[in-house]
Amino acid sequence: MATLMVSLSDPLSAWLDDTAQAAGFREPGDYVRELIRRDRERADRALTIDELRELVGEAKASGTSARSLDDIFAEAERVARSNG
């Protein structure tokens, strides 16, 4: 396992200690590793610019929807809740 040394200001270090303890981590390094793991998972799920462009192109090509904005937003909220 690699070791990484990071310098933190006193206020940031105190915040890290308090936050890690409040979140139930044994030590601040465990909390930092968890944050990095979560960010890596989020980045792995993120769409690339090319994927976003493709989705926008498909949406434009599909034409105008017969659904109301309220219906579209309600479906988007439903999908967001089901995906966490």
Side-chain angles (χ1 to χ4, degrees):
M1 179 185 305
T3 300
L4 174 66
M5 300 294 291
V6 178
S7 297
L8 302 174
S9 65
D10 290 338
L12 188 54
S13 179
W15 179 88
L16 177 60
D17 290 341
D18 293 345
T19 304
Q21 183 178 13
F25 289 92
R26 211 169 24 117
E27 60 183 66
D30 294 334
Y31 178 62
V32 171
R33 280 188 289 279
E34 176 66 12
L35 291 175
I36 293 169
R37 184 190 63 75
R38 287 182 195 174
D39 192 54
R40 187 175 178 185
E41 287 176 355
R42 183 202 52 77
D44 288 346
R45 290 190 313 265
L47 296 174
T48 66
I49 294 295
D50 288 339
E51 290 169 326
L52 289 171
R53 285 185 177 133
E54 184 176 337
L55 287 173
V56 169
E58 289 172 6
K60 285 181 176 180
S62 71
T64 304
S65 175
R67 297 183 301 164
S68 71
L69 278 177
D70 289 338
D71 291 341
I72 293 168
F73 281 120
E75 181 181 353
E77 288 175 347
R78 199 170 39 255
V79 169
R81 276 199 269 349
S82 71
N83 290 336

